[in-house]
Amino acid sequence: MSKLPDRAHVVVVGGGIVGCSTAYHLAALGIGDVVLIERHELSSGSTWHAAGLVGQLRSQAGITQLLGHSIDLYRNLEKETGQATGWKMNGGLRLACNPARMTEILRQATTAHSFGLEMHVLSPKEALDLWPVMNADDVLGAAFLPTDGQANPGDITRALAQGARKRGVRIIENCAVTGVHADAGRVSGLDTALGSIETGIVVNCCGQWAREFGALAGVNVPLISVQHQYLVTEPIDGVSPDLPTLRDPDRLTYYKEEVGGLVMGGYEPNPIPWATGGLPENFSFTLLDEDWDHFGPMMELALPRVPALERAGIKQLINGPESFTPDGNFILGEAPELRGYFVGAGFNAFGIASGGGAGKALAEWIAGDEPPYDLWAVDIRRFGAVHRDRRWVEARTLELYGKHYTIAWPGEEHASVRGARKSPLYDTLAGRGACFGEKMGWERPNWFAPAGVEAKDVYSFERPNWFEHVAAEHRAVRERVGLIDQTSFAKFEVSGADAASALNRICANDVDCAPGQLRYTQLLNSRGGIEADLTVTRLDTDRYYLVTGTGFVTHDRHWIGGHFRAGEAVTLEDVSDRYSVLSLMGPRAREVISAAGEGDFGNAAFPFGAAQRIRIAGRELLALRVTYVGELGWELHCDQADARIVYEALLETGQAFDIADAGYRAIESLRLEKAYRAWGADLSPDHTPLEAGLGFAVKLSSDVDFIGRSALEAQRGKPLGKRLMGFSVDDPSVTLIGRETIYRDGERVGWLSSGGYGHTVGSSIGLGYVRNAEGVTNDWLDAGSYELEVATRRVPATLQRRAMYDPEMARIKA
């Protein structure tokens, strides 16, 4: 047994594939003094019984990039370490057996092309030629990624451990970690069965134990263990070593070759959680009992696809629990509760595919003290208060497990554990026909069903059932006035004698303005990439009010608070639950607010970008003259207890001006016409404000230093390699949803970061970054001819260098 050292620079806890990969990559970066602790033996948790399929396409570019890093690593790891890995690049095949699934596959193929992956759409005959042991009678088509593959999980883990040891990592097995120490909000050490160890960085790679281990430090890791079964057969005639992996999502099953036989598993719609009362302490290289009754429906789905299974000998039915998360994505990054505490867990049965890249990303995150590229889809800071409720997490996770292979519809909402957080107007809006969506547990009105129409989503890859109803809300905001409940906004107050200087260092725009003024700004990382996008209102000399997106409350709170300096007189308070927000937007908004409120709302007295305390129906509130829909309007922030009274007063007054309720799907359509950017789609840590066309919101002309300034100065004045542009398509049959490939003169130059329909301009529209290594100049842009690839079909598109609606911003400043 290795001796536990007294201290280490980094301690990785957990010796599965992700823990070993993280240690390996930390050492590869030259970070010395790394210790990996495993309470039993390497790979003894869930890694050893994983199926080992390695795919790489996801709907988000950063995660696809991460999975590509895994494959790059696995290709060369055996040669580097001398340890066999079982890696083979035999490709991956995905079937489509109904028209909707075929459309999904065509859109996935376009996404692959956008991200630079080779993906081929095959006929049923071509799919059968690749996988001759299947019955393809019901197959309409298939997608094939030649660079997908499979690996032996235990061997990969041992190879990573061997490579880590060669670079000086100390690996200590059979050593349980029993406690975590912190000092002044940062990790300071661990207690273990072999004694204590001092460290400033801990990495929780404990797999399905990650939630329990996180709790030792007050860190929430929202995942649960779910039983996952697959069977292994004896050799089958026609199954060759080069047989691609096969996913048959319409039958909820997957297959891979193993020693001349097949591994077959699936994702049943009624999954079984495991160890809900706590995980066993000595669960090592252990499986659960076979559950043939539960696996039976999977067999019934599989047999028509692979008839040979009916005659094949069964070696084993493996029932191995694995960790799953409430949104189906894994968890990476520094925990918002404790500095120096990182997490890599919750891999949703694709930990082998992710392990190499996830370990690399985590190591680079630790070394650089920020994500190395856009990893928002898996960032631990995407979770919030609702994810601390184990019952909520369990119910949503089981729903997502059951949807692992169902069609991923555009705009799809989930059904489980709804109603966790509601605006004070929830019942009122429900009575007015609201169809709600959910974000961070909040119920939010997506659209309003008129009388006689059911408030229920019917999903489609074409125009969905809410299309015309959203169009009516859109027109109400453009032509008259709309009222939108945006209570779910995340809201913070920053106060203290150093509030102005601290925020001006963190914000890209100049927020050291006069009280009563509002600034739109980004928060940047050291590379100049956009980490947040929000409004900052100065309430007083020492007090600010910040408003950001619903889903970013944890991330933005952590980013802002984490960049305050020691000794600064500044505090950050989350006041999201204190205030409701009503957005009054449209050309008649001034008439409504003037009639309902007390005060002068004229352009001179209340200009765009101003903030004032006003009264409506006797209730005091904060009015911000700002817009995300491209019209004259105000955000009205009031105490939640006053929200109903303020709403009813605006609605009653607004009847004379033909006021209408509007929801978040109308906001999306309205903002796209105005080319307003959305963080998490058009804005990300990979894009700078200059590339995003937001240079007007950056204080480079001042002498104030701010995070990311040096990176922007290096970029300023040079041809930009990418720029965010708008695109429109006149063909009414084309539906844009994002990730469509952009072609210029027949050459792939980028993809749409968001897409939708502009009901005022009357066309499908999207935003996306156009790339050119020699510089994306206006002349270069204007000289090109453009197409978008939509579900593998190229359609003519028009480049829009300016907003398609009101590019002069005359309406919002009216």
Side-chain angles (χ1 to χ4, degrees):
M1 179 182 296
S2 300
K3 184 179 184 298
L4 185 74
D6 294 332
R7 70 167 318 281
H9 181 55
V10 183
V11 178
V12 179
V13 183
I17 188 170
V18 178
C20 289
S21 176
T22 302
Y24 170 93
H25 284 100
L26 285 167
L29 289 173
I31 297 176
D33 201 14
V34 176
V35 173
L36 185 150
I37 300 176
E38 163 57 45
R39 68 174 185 167
H40 294 301
E41 297 178 37
L42 297 183
S43 81
S44 62
S46 53
T47 294
W48 74 278
H49 59 69
L53 281 70
V54 180
Q56 59 186 313
L57 177 63
R58 293 294 185 273
S59 61
Q60 203 266 351
I63 310 311
T64 300
Q65 177 182 337
L66 181 150
L67 295 168
H69 290 322
S70 289
I71 287 177
D72 291 342
L73 175 67
Y74 300 162
R75 281 172 170 169
N76 301 304
L77 192 58
E78 183 172 341
K79 181 179 179 181
E80 175 194 336
T81 64
Q83 166 67 48
T85 62
W87 167 249
K88 58 180 177 180
M89 189 181 291
N90 48 346
L93 189 65
R94 181 179 288 262
L95 305 180
C97 301
N98 60 65
R101 182 72 71 180
M102 193 67 219
T103 299
E104 181 184 50
I105 275 186
L106 293 173
R107 287 191 173 270
Q108 287 172 337
T110 287
T111 298
H113 300 159
S114 291
F115 297 166
L117 288 180
E118 183 182 358
M119 185 172 182
H120 306 284
V121 177
L122 307 181
S123 68
K125 173 63 167 58
E126 290 170 322
L128 185 62
D129 289 343
L130 282 175
W131 229 84
V133 292
M134 73 171 166
N135 172 11
D137 288 349
D138 63 338
V139 174
L140 300 183
F144 180 63
L145 277 87
T147 54
D148 281 1
Q150 63 188 70
N152 182 297
D155 287 345
I156 284 276
T157 304
R158 283 185 284 274
L160 288 166
Q162 179 73 358
R165 285 191 181 102
K166 286 183 176 180
R167 289 183 167 92
V169 173
R170 284 173 286 184
I171 296 178
I172 301 172
E173 297 178 273
N174 299 301
C175 177
V177 178
T178 57
V180 181
H181 295 282
D183 182 25
R186 186 177 183 94
V187 167
S188 60
L190 298 173
D191 291 331
T192 81
L194 299 178
S196 297
I197 180 171
E198 294 180 7
T199 183
I201 299 174
V202 167
V203 191
N204 178 350
C205 297
C206 296
Q208 55 195 333
W209 288 269
R211 185 182 185 114
E212 292 184 355
F213 181 61
L216 292 177
V219 169
N220 183 42
V221 185
L223 53 78
I224 66 166
S225 294
V226 181
Q227 297 185 31
H228 184 72
Q229 296 192 101
Y230 63 86
L231 62 81
V232 184
T233 77
E234 301 285 355
I236 295 174
D237 289 342
V239 173
S240 59
D242 61 349
L243 195 71
T245 61
L246 176 69
R247 294 168 178 84
D248 187 2
D250 292 315
R251 292 181 179 272
L252 310 179
T253 50
Y254 61 80
Y255 307 81
K256 75 161 188 173
E257 183 273 340
E258 185 162 304
V259 198
L262 289 175
V263 165
M264 186 280 285
Y267 293 87
E268 65 275 17
N270 57 336
I272 302 174
W274 179 67
T276 55
L279 280 76
E281 188 171 333
N282 295 310
F283 195 81
S284 170
F285 289 119
T286 305
L287 296 173
L288 305 180
D289 293 338
E290 298 175 347
D291 190 343
W292 282 102
D293 289 340
H294 195 70
F295 194 72
M298 291 293 99
M299 283 295 295
E300 292 176 8
L301 290 168
L303 287 173
R305 176 68 64 226
V306 187
L309 286 174
E310 193 165 5
R311 303 180 301 275
I314 306 299
K315 287 183 177 179
Q316 188 178 13
L317 178 63
I318 291 176
N319 186 356
E322 299 189 39
S323 60
F324 289 80
T325 67
D327 63 1
N329 273 328
F330 53 90
I331 303 171
L332 284 188
E334 186 178 35
E337 299 93 340
L338 186 61
R339 293 288 293 172
Y341 190 104
F342 289 80
V343 177
F347 281 84
N348 299 274
F350 63 101
I352 308 308
S354 311
K360 184 176 189 291
L362 258 180
E364 292 172 351
W365 198 328
I366 291 165
D369 202 29
E370 61 187 28
Y373 50 92
D374 181 12
L375 292 167
W376 173 240
V378 297
D379 193 317
I380 191 171
R381 296 170 295 179
R382 72 189 188 272
F383 299 118
V386 72
H387 300 100
R388 293 186 174 276
D389 182 346
R390 184 180 175 89
R391 291 171 298 178
W392 195 100
V393 169
E394 180 177 309
R396 179 58 59 84
T397 300
L398 294 177
E399 180 186 4
L400 266 292
Y401 179 104
K403 288 181 171 180
H404 190 88
Y405 276 155
T406 60
I407 291 173
W409 297 106
E412 182 179 6
E413 297 284 350
H414 303 306
S416 58
V417 284
R418 295 295 297 268
R421 308 183 77 186
K422 297 178 180 178
S423 158
L425 299 176
Y426 177 84
D427 291 335
T428 299
L429 298 181
R432 294 179 62 81
C435 182
F436 291 93
E438 178 269 325
K439 194 162 194 175
M440 203 65 103
W442 281 100
E443 294 294 323
R444 312 193 312 172
N446 275 343
W447 59 281
F448 287 81
V453 174
E454 184 180 8
K456 181 180 179 180
D457 290 336
V458 179
Y459 300 113
S460 172
F461 286 110
E462 308 307 326
R463 292 183 175 179
N465 70 313
W466 62 80
F467 183 85
E468 291 299 337
H469 309 308
V470 169
E473 297 170 29
H474 179 116
R475 287 191 291 270
V477 174
R478 285 278 183 257
E479 299 166 9
R480 307 185 311 275
V481 60
L483 190 56
I484 310 168
D485 181 8
Q486 294 191 273
T487 295
S488 66
F489 270 145
K491 316 165 201 75
F492 309 108
E493 285 191 7
V494 175
S495 58
D498 294 326
S501 59
L503 282 177
N504 224 23
R505 184 183 67 253
I506 297 169
C507 296
N509 205 347
D510 185 3
V511 299
D512 192 4
C513 51
Q517 292 189 338
L518 175 150
R519 293 287 187 268
Y520 166 63
T521 186
Q522 289 79 48
L523 313 183
L524 309 182
N525 56 38
S526 64
R527 306 185 307 278
I530 300 171
E531 289 285 346
D533 178 68
L534 65 161
T535 60
V536 177
T537 301
R538 193 166 196 175
L539 302 177
D540 208 335
T541 55
D542 61 352
R543 193 158 64 97
Y544 287 83
Y545 183 64
L546 283 57
V547 181
T548 187
T550 305
F552 313 138
V553 57
T554 306
H555 174 278
D556 291 3
R557 182 176 61 226
H558 179 254
W559 184 269
I560 295 166
H563 284 88
F564 291 157
R565 289 174 175 166
E568 281 186 319
V570 59
T571 60
L572 172 69
E573 182 183 4
D574 185 347
V575 296
S576 300
D577 293 342
R578 186 180 303 172
Y579 301 114
S580 282
V581 182
L582 292 170
S583 292
L584 183 72
M585 298 287 159
R588 308 201 73 177
R590 180 176 286 119
E591 296 172 84
V592 174
I593 198 169
S594 296
E598 302 172 17
D600 185 347
F601 299 95
N603 211 28
F606 205 144
F608 182 74
Q612 296 181 21
R613 292 283 180 186
I614 68 166
R615 285 185 176 272
I616 293 177
R619 267 54 178 185
E620 184 179 277
L621 50 85
L622 178 66
L624 309 179
R625 190 169 165 197
V626 66
T627 182
Y628 192 54
V629 299
E631 296 293 340
L632 168 69
W634 284 263
E635 281 181 13
L636 305 174
H637 295 245
C638 64
D639 288 342
Q640 287 210 6
D642 297 334
R644 186 186 300 273
I645 292 171
V646 174
Y647 172 82
E648 290 174 350
L650 291 168
L651 196 65
E652 182 179 356
T653 304
Q655 297 308 307
F657 306 99
D658 203 9
I659 197 169
D661 292 301
Y664 277 82
R665 291 198 172 123
I667 292 174
E668 181 68 6
S669 171
L670 292 158
R671 73 98 182 169
L672 281 171
E673 286 188 334
K674 196 66 179 66
Y676 285 153
R677 283 73 161 137
W679 196 87
D682 316 305
L683 307 178
S684 83
D686 290 345
H687 308 308
T688 72
L690 304 183
E691 295 165 342
L694 299 175
F696 67 89
V698 180
K699 54 178 179 281
L700 283 175
S701 59
S702 77
D703 60 359
V704 178
D705 195 14
F706 59 90
I707 299 169
R709 176 171 187 138
S710 59
L712 296 189
E713 287 179 333
Q715 192 178 63
R716 183 172 58 166
K718 299 177 182 178
L720 296 169
K722 59 182 172 180
R723 287 173 61 188
L724 188 68
M725 291 290 129
F727 293 88
S728 61
V729 175
D730 293 332
D731 185 343
S733 70
V734 173
T735 300
L736 302 179
I737 61 176
R739 298 180 302 281
E740 291 84 2
T741 317
I742 303 168
Y743 289 89
R744 178 189 179 275
D745 295 342
E747 179 184 356
R748 178 174 62 89
V749 293
W751 63 88
L752 295 188
S753 48
S754 56
Y757 191 82
H759 294 282
T760 301
V761 300
S763 66
S764 291
I765 51 180
L767 299 173
Y769 286 88
V770 178
R771 293 161 169 81
N772 179 31
E774 297 178 0
V776 182
T777 63
N778 289 344
D779 288 344
W780 182 85
L781 286 167
D782 294 341
S785 176
Y786 295 89
E787 297 173 299
L788 297 177
E789 181 184 317
V790 183
T792 71
R793 180 169 69 98
R794 292 195 192 183
V795 298
T798 302
L799 177 79
Q800 305 287 345
R801 287 207 285 116
R802 305 181 74 198
M804 293 185 69
Y805 180 79
D806 189 26
E808 303 297 336
M809 297 177 61
R811 294 178 70 89
I812 68 172
K813 295 182 178 180

